[in-house]
Amino acid sequence: MRLPALLLALLAAAAGCAQTGAPPAPSGTAGSASAGPSANPNLALSASGDFAPDATQAIVYDRKLAPEGARASLLVESELEAGKTRSSLVVEGFLPGRTYGAHLHANPCGAEPDDSGPHYQNKPGKVTAKNEVWLDFTTDGTGSANASARNPWLLTSERLPRSLVIHAERTKAKKPDRGAAGPRVACLTLG
């Protein structure tokens, strides 16, 4: 088994996210039943899927940039003790030797690229890699890649990211286009 395929399998198994059908509402696991919203309990979100023509959780908007056989697996974990949110992305089957932008978004995927809404932000209004989750990746010769991000804040159960959007270009880090990454190629709904 190739390493990216193994990583996809491990992420899917660890998160229990081999899902089909309609996307579920996001879920998290609280570290304690008495933990209130201000406690920022441990939360985990995950998704895994093939960008197939009939998929409802893994949707393709540009088949040229996400060819048949493209797939992705994402795990987002917010840990109270660490005080951080960690995100790990594994992709396979994309165009070889190409850079894509990838971000967590506020809404679930939909039939139209803009249905996933804006980037998920820890503090609304701040467009930075520290305030958002940017998971840009460059594929190897087989179209596979891994990306990860660590953010110095915790998710809260009141407001969670609902999708991962893969964009056609690397995320621009400088103004005036900071945060822009071109057209939306594919979308994976988090559950």
Side-chain angles (χ1 to χ4, degrees):
M1 185 179 279
R2 292 178 295 162
L3 182 59
L6 178 60
L7 288 172
L8 278 170
L10 289 174
L11 281 172
C17 60
Q19 303 173 12
T20 59
S27 62
T29 54
S32 164
S34 64
S38 62
N40 292 321
N42 296 338
L43 292 170
L45 302 171
S46 61
S48 181
D50 294 328
F51 294 106
D54 61 346
T56 58
Q57 183 180 358
I59 299 174
V60 174
Y61 304 118
D62 185 340
R63 185 52 79 187
K64 290 180 184 176
L65 297 179
E68 192 76 36
R71 62 178 285 110
S73 184
L74 175 71
L75 178 61
V76 181
E77 298 176 294
S78 192
E79 299 178 13
L80 181 60
E81 287 185 23
K84 294 179 182 179
T85 295
R86 298 176 195 167
S87 305
S88 300
L89 173 64
V90 178
V91 299
E92 286 186 318
F94 283 79
L95 294 180
R98 190 174 200 302
T99 299
Y100 295 82
H103 314 107
L104 295 186
H105 278 248
N107 300 330
C109 305
E112 298 299 320
D114 288 340
D115 289 348
S116 57
H119 293 181
Y120 175 84
Q121 297 178 328
N122 179 47
K123 294 183 180 177
K126 292 187 174 192
V127 181
T128 65
K130 187 175 180 179
N131 191 48
E132 299 180 349
V133 178
W134 295 0
L135 292 161
D136 292 12
F137 59 90
T138 300
T139 57
D140 63 16
T142 67
S144 301
N146 303 323
S148 62
R150 291 181 185 216
N151 294 83
W153 39 264
L154 298 169
L155 295 172
T156 64
S157 57
E158 292 77 35
R159 193 175 60 82
L160 295 170
R162 300 292 309 274
S163 62
L164 167 82
V165 173
I166 297 173
H167 293 266
E169 302 166 6
R170 176 181 299 280
T171 305
K172 293 168 182 64
K174 297 182 179 179
K175 289 183 179 181
D177 297 324
R178 182 171 40 212
R184 297 176 189 204
V185 171
C187 185
L188 184 64
T189 295
L190 292 168

